[in-house]
Amino acid sequence: MTSREKPLVGASDSAEKRDEIRSVEAVVDRISYANEENGWCVIRLRGKSGEYITATGTLLGVREGDRLRLSGRWTRHPKYGEQLEVESFLEILPSTLEGIRRFLASGRIKGIGPVMAKRLIQAFGLETLDIIEYQPKRLREIQGIGAATAEKISTSWARHRGIQRIIVFLASHGVAPGIAVRLHRRYGESALSVVRENPYRLAEEVYGVGFLTADRIARKLGLPVDAPERLMAGIVHTLTLASRNGHLFLPRSRCLAEAGTLLDIGDTHSLEEALEALRRENIIVLRPSKDGETAVYKSRFDRAEARVARGISRLLDYRPDHPEVENSTEEIALFEKEQQIRLAPEQRQALRTALEAPLSIITGGPGTGKTTLIQGLVKIHSKHSRKIGLAAPTGRAAKRMEEATGQPAKTLHRLLEYNPIENSWGRNFDHPLEMDCLVVDEVSMLDIELAARLIDALPTGSQLVLVGDSDQLPSVGPGDVLAELISSGCIPVCRLKHIFRQGKGSLIAENAQRINRGLMPRYREDSGEISDFYFAVREDPAEAVETAVALVSERIPRRFGLDPIEDIQLLAPMHRGDLGVQHLNRLLQEKLAPPAAAEIRLGNRVFRCGDKIMQLRNNYELEIYNGDTGRILSVDLDEREIVAEFSGRQIIMESDDLEDLTPAYACTIHKAQGSEYPAVVVVLHAQHHIMLQRNLLYTAITRGKSLVIIVGSKRALRRAIENAEIRSRYTMLADRLKESDLKVN
């Protein structure tokens, strides 16, 4: 402690007095640490007389310059000394001219930056904040503030005050303040009413709020531990957790057991009654499964699975008297001649099936010619003036289709005309797509609900061609659509096995096949010989981190002439730990986008101009989706917003939108699914042991087009290859299709 950092009065009281609740007022000087997941922070504050203190607790959301009233207990940390353990806090609006100026200049009130803050203070003095709240029309007296800006300021002020009220309420129930922003975004001014009336809604409807948080609020509001609504909420949340692991349902016994553990309830009878109440209210569906046990579905997933099965039956049952492409063999031969290529027998068969069957699946690994077949379908259908559409689950995959074919391609959400404001789909069973054939790529990413929307929107008589790699990881969302469609035996499946894409001596596609067969890949170690597949053996975790960061930021760009941000992606199996995505991102950001004057801090995340970023949640209004990557083009500190580019589109992202962004120099392998990069660096180590699976490794290396480098331990690589166990998902799509008695024609 320096001479100017005097301890706050009372900080050195006796141990007995330290246990008492104390209340202090101070200004946040700096935020030393902030954990975005649980809201726990360490902050330094300056008291009224200039004294400094350290405070810890759930303080996420506070900013430097905030004046706070904190309540808590004094403790002594063996290393860091006296600290205030905060139990609750309240933001106090500033009462001095300088305090008001700093508050308004912070950027938290939209429409007001440092320059406008100074003008407001000069015009209204100490009444500035009252005028913003009670007389917002007077803001138009200030030069540069018109009607639209005045409205923006008033709206932003009301939002800020609303969030503060939620923060106070949540803090009294031990909930991190950072959640208040999400609640206000979801419910607006009714947020407090929703929390008080049914806090369990938060766990189902608000991103980042778990059941335990909602349950803690409910219990503090006086709800008994065995209240029927608590038991029902626990069962629903158990099914929600299952869906996040890809399941569409849970067997009844497992559902009740896991709900009982979550709720700490051993009374099976009470849980059975809650399950029956949920069935009566049509929140869940109970359905017999093939193993004799009852399947417990959320109603929405049961409906989606049934719609997919019915829709596929409808498509397969249609047989026109005269096919549109009458001689597919001749058409394929003409395509080969025009393109000056010679298709392999398996490719010709796949293209023939796709031209003749109402529904078909083409599956194969990298380099097996899937794109060539899509090009063939476009050429042949277009020649016959048949309208063909191209789509994919993600923007990046759709862009690749467009570049490869010269034909417009859309994301499935855009194709189906999703309206985020009304939460409606413009294309559906009553208003189907107007096309003769639709080709959908990267189908392994298709979850059950999006699949249902897609099948519903296809008119009877149209053709659907599904293209994907069945060896990749299944979709992030619930269901296992591609695998279930293939295993049903009802749909013609064309498997491409021969590698065409890579040149002689290429190892990427060859190693993808070797890994699928349970064999170790062939690779170059650190040597001067040029290859497209390397393994940098680093048994020590610190050395693995150092090597991975150096490869992305320096060595690959220098040797292969690739851009470290645009062309190279670092992949890891997990988020946390020294070899996790979060730590790797921090290191790469310091290398590739060093500290700048214009940067926005949000907890532990920092956003700078030039940063590579990833969207973490579907944002239908901005048309950017979970896993989409982009670049920050500019940072506006006054408005606390950025301009970012995603797939060639420039998007203004406001401060609320930043909650759903993360640096993307490194990302998890799951998040990279559906994307393709010139080069990938894959970190694989024993620290990742719980995630090491064959299909995870396969997915990682097939993200690389021209270069793949694995960094880590041989033991981890061998473990991933040997672990071929695929975590099965509870789904009955294949069974429903088989029950339809469909036959492959």
Side-chain angles (χ1 to χ4, degrees), residues 310 351 437 457 730:
R310 285 197 304 269
L351 190 51
C437 177
Y730 289 118

Side-chain angles (χ1 to χ4, degrees), residues 382-393:
S382 298
K383 187 166 65 173
H384 288 273
S385 300
R386 301 191 79 223
K387 188 173 182 181
I388 183 169
L390 304 180

Side-chain angles (χ1 to χ4, degrees), residues 159 163 166 179-189 191 207 615 617-619 654-660:
R159 176 185 173 280
I163 290 173
I166 301 171
I179 292 174
V181 176
R182 296 171 187 158
L183 293 185
H184 196 275
R185 185 196 304 182
R186 178 69 175 79
Y187 304 116
E189 295 304 312
Y207 174 74
Q615 180 74 6
R617 191 172 68 98
N618 289 346
N619 187 322
E654 300 180 349
S655 55
D656 284 358
D657 301 320
L658 302 186
E659 292 277 346
D660 300 327

Side-chain angles (χ1 to χ4, degrees), residues 363-613:
T363 182
T368 54
K370 298 189 297 294
T371 300
T372 300
L373 298 186
I374 295 174
Q375 292 170 338
L377 288 169
V378 170
K379 294 285 185 183
I380 295 171
H381 280 294
S382 298
K383 187 166 65 173
H384 288 273
S385 300
R386 301 191 79 223
K387 188 173 182 181
I388 183 169
L390 304 180
T394 67
R396 186 181 287 268
K399 185 178 180 181
R400 285 206 316 272
M401 291 183 82
E402 191 166 306
E403 291 171 347
T405 63
Q407 174 93 355
K410 297 180 179 180
T411 64
L412 288 172
H413 283 85
R414 294 191 70 186
L415 178 77
L416 302 176
E417 298 176 9
Y418 178 69
N419 185 327
I421 297 174
E422 299 178 1
N423 190 28
S424 62
W425 301 76
R427 296 293 179 171
N428 48 47
F429 187 80
D430 296 320
H431 187 209
L433 295 164
E434 298 168 0
M435 59 182 59
D436 301 301
C437 177
L438 176 65
V439 182
V440 182
D441 199 6
E442 296 290 354
V443 182
S444 63
M445 302 182 69
L446 199 61
D447 63 51
I448 194 67
E449 290 189 298
L450 190 52
R453 296 288 182 189
L454 170 64
I455 300 296
D456 282 350
L458 284 169
T460 300
S462 65
Q463 289 179 297
L464 176 62
V465 181
L466 301 176
V467 183
D469 187 345
S470 59
D471 292 318
Q472 284 188 32
L473 292 166
S475 61
V476 174
D480 199 357
V481 175
L482 179 58
E484 289 282 285
L485 293 180
I486 291 173
S487 68
S488 71
C490 301
I491 301 167
V493 178
C494 304
R495 298 182 184 273
L496 305 178
K497 298 178 181 179
H498 187 75
I499 300 170
F500 301 95
R501 188 178 71 194
Q502 277 84 7
K504 185 178 180 181
S506 172
L507 293 175
I508 296 176
E510 177 187 335
N511 282 334
Q513 292 194 342
R514 288 179 65 85
I515 287 169
N516 266 342
R517 296 199 301 269
L519 302 174
M520 288 287 283
R522 296 171 54 219
Y523 55 83
R524 303 275 188 269
E525 295 196 22
D526 295 334
S527 69
E529 192 173 350
I530 294 292
S531 175
D532 65 351
F533 198 103
Y534 297 86
F535 182 21
V537 180
R538 299 291 186 272
E539 300 294 341
D540 180 71
E543 290 182 2
V545 169
E546 182 181 355
T547 299
V549 171
L551 282 167
V552 174
S553 61
E554 301 169 14
R555 292 169 59 182
I556 294 176
R558 184 170 59 243
R559 187 170 187 181
F560 294 92
L562 297 176
D563 185 277
I565 297 177
E566 294 292 339
D567 299 331
I568 308 170
Q569 184 63 54
L570 179 57
L571 303 177
M574 299 171 67
H575 282 284
R576 299 180 183 176
D578 292 340
L579 289 164
V581 165
Q582 293 174 354
H583 183 225
L584 293 168
N585 260 324
R586 284 194 291 270
L587 296 176
L588 280 171
Q589 186 182 45
E590 292 304 307
K591 286 272 191 181
L592 301 174
E599 62 181 37
I600 297 175
R601 291 186 174 270
L602 197 66
N604 285 336
R605 286 173 290 172
V606 180
F607 298 106
R608 299 168 181 154
C609 186
D611 265 339
K612 185 177 184 178
I613 52 176

Side-chain angles (χ1 to χ4, degrees), residues 27-30 46 63-67 91 94 96-109 112-114 117-118 121 129:
V27 176
V28 179
D29 184 64
R30 70 174 184 272
R46 188 175 64 257
R63 303 185 189 181
E64 294 177 2
D66 284 357
R67 178 173 291 278
E91 180 186 11
T96 66
L97 291 176
E98 176 59 18
I100 295 171
R101 186 198 65 76
R102 290 183 62 188
F103 173 80
L104 293 177
S106 67
R108 74 190 66 200
I109 307 301
I112 303 178
K118 187 176 180 180
I121 296 298
L129 299 183

Side-chain angles (χ1 to χ4, degrees), residues 269-341:
H269 179 69
S270 296
L271 289 172
E272 290 278 7
E273 289 183 339
L275 192 72
E276 179 59 24
L278 289 167
R279 187 198 62 77
R280 287 196 304 269
E281 295 182 20
N282 201 32
I283 296 172
I284 65 167
V285 171
L286 303 180
R287 187 173 297 282
S289 65
K290 60 183 178 182
D291 60 4
E293 189 168 6
T294 302
V296 183
Y297 279 87
K298 273 189 173 182
S299 294
R300 56 185 276 201
F301 296 141
D302 179 72
R303 288 194 300 269
E305 193 174 63
R307 281 162 51 204
V308 172
R310 285 197 304 269
I312 287 176
S313 298
R314 171 176 59 86
L315 293 175
L316 289 175
D317 282 343
Y318 179 78
R319 287 293 183 274
D321 293 334
H322 301 286
E324 294 288 346
V325 181
E326 294 190 7
N327 193 332
S328 58
T329 301
E330 183 177 318
E331 294 291 349
I332 293 168
L334 286 173
F335 167 69
E336 289 181 287
K337 183 177 180 181
E338 290 169 359
Q339 299 300 308
Q340 296 183 342
I341 60 174

Side-chain angles (χ1 to χ4, degrees), residues 666-741:
C667 73
T668 63
I669 297 167
H670 282 84
K671 287 290 186 186
Q673 190 174 1
S675 298
E676 197 173 55
Y677 314 92
V680 297
V681 177
V682 185
V683 179
L684 215 61
H685 203 273
Q687 287 187 7
H688 305 132
H689 67 279
I690 61 172
M691 296 291 292
L692 297 178
Q693 292 176 266
R694 183 182 296 176
N695 62 350
L696 186 85
L697 176 60
Y698 174 86
T699 301
I701 68 169
T702 54
R703 299 310 90 208
K705 289 175 62 177
S706 305
L707 178 65
V708 172
I709 302 178
I710 299 175
V711 180
S713 69
K714 287 184 178 180
R715 179 182 176 188
L717 178 62
R718 188 173 293 107
R719 159 70 178 167
I721 292 170
E722 291 175 352
N723 184 12
E725 180 182 354
I726 296 176
R727 296 169 185 169
S728 60
R729 297 182 168 192
Y730 289 118
T731 165
M732 289 198 288
L733 177 58
D735 296 324
R736 295 192 199 225
L737 288 170
K738 291 173 183 175
E739 289 171 4
S740 301
D741 197 28

